[in-house]
Amino acid sequence: MISFSRMGCVAIIMVTVVAVGGCSSRQTVKNVAKGPASPEQVRSEAEQALRYGDHAAALAAWQKILAKTPDDVAALRGIGEVYLAVGEHATALAAFDKALELAPADPDAGEGRGLVLTALGRHEEARRQLGVVQQASPSRWRTLNATGFLLDIEGKREQAWHSYEQALALQPGHPLILNNMGHSLFMDHDYAEAERVFRDGLRSAPDGAYLHANLVLSIAWQGDYARALAEASRKQTREEALNNVGYVALLRKDYTAAISYFEQAIEASPRWYPRAAANLERARKEAEEAARR
């Protein structure tokens, strides 16, 4: 399938419960050798490392605890959170499952498991798991955010927004919640309002690649290609920005604009640009077919 360059997905990027979106590159977590430290120091080290995005250090710290106490529920939860954060969902699920075997009513492990199931696309299981968590602990923003997403993909927009708004009340301005709200508006074709929400998210997370990619899409889908190109060029090379904006024009069946952007992308690229060339071929073919109808 012909797709955007670097954006990866030929659609709005849906970031639901993890900081790393489905279209972003994965970070491989490596085991780190154990070192001496008190359990309290290690826990503090692990929590701080994860908070600041140092996933390898967080994993190493939790592993130090598990090396001494293999049934430490907090350490298993922590390892689950690390793997969830870097998109290694099967490993994360195994860690949360083990934690729940040891502590079936643990709300943090239950929430983590629900978030992983959502990311894996196992939506029915995720609904059940998150429902259990929400019943026991109704004020968890991540559970509310994920529940909103699951309701959204069922087409239950009013209920989804109720969940999003509850989540946002608990975590004002959080970029993951705002991204999902923007996605909801985008899927309703309210591109101008989606743009506004994505911009709100970028105020909280200026380097949020998924928010910026979605912002570009929302502008381009309004037919404002020049503004979308200017925005895309802030994070992408010119040839990538031209190709990506051209692809939205192609999806909008604006063939003249699409062909022009793909041609410019090929010309701007310092080397052969096969993706733009494939997109150009498709645009010309669809334009010819449309002209014959």
Side-chain angles (χ1 to χ4, degrees), residues 18 37 76 91-92 94 137 155 171 238 277:
V18 293
L76 289 164
T91 309
S137 184
Q171 287 288 320
R238 179 161 178 79

Side-chain angles (χ1 to χ4, degrees), residues 74-241:
L76 289 164
R77 276 200 320 256
I79 285 174
E81 291 288 353
V82 169
Y83 283 112
L84 172 61
V86 300
E88 296 190 16
H89 298 126
T91 309
L93 184 60
F96 288 127
D97 281 344
K98 178 63 175 176
L100 287 168
E101 284 177 19
L102 297 165
D106 185 276
D108 294 321
E111 179 176 67
R113 185 174 189 273
L115 302 184
V116 174
L117 290 169
T118 303
L120 286 169
R122 292 162 60 175
H123 294 156
E124 189 55 43
E125 292 175 81
R127 288 184 192 97
R128 290 196 298 269
Q129 180 69 65
L130 293 170
V132 170
V133 173
Q134 193 164 12
Q135 187 172 13
S137 184
S139 296
R140 289 176 168 268
W141 77 266
R142 293 198 304 170
T143 292
L144 288 163
N145 184 44
T147 298
F149 170 74
L150 292 170
L151 289 165
D152 226 345
I153 61 176
E154 289 184 71
K156 299 176 180 177
R157 293 290 158 80
E158 187 174 341
Q159 292 172 259
W161 273 70
H162 180 64
S163 286
Y164 291 144
E165 286 165 353
Q166 286 182 294
L168 206 58
L170 294 167
Q171 287 288 320
H174 199 288
L176 297 184
I177 305 168
L178 289 169
N179 186 76
N180 285 352
M181 295 175 83
H183 168 257
S184 181
L185 291 162
F186 186 99
M187 297 309 292
D188 270 346
H189 310 293
D190 191 348
Y191 304 121
E193 187 64 12
E195 177 189 348
R196 183 191 67 76
V197 172
F198 291 135
R199 287 194 186 280
D200 285 346
L202 283 165
R203 291 189 185 96
S204 299
D207 295 327
Y210 53 90
L211 281 161
H212 185 260
N214 288 343
L215 172 64
V216 171
L217 291 174
S218 65
I219 296 170
W221 272 95
Q222 294 174 62
D224 196 342
Y225 303 132
R227 193 160 61 89
L229 180 61
E231 185 65 49
S233 297
R234 292 178 55 238
K235 302 275 187 178
Q236 303 163 28
T237 65
R238 179 161 178 79
E239 62 268 24
E240 289 166 344

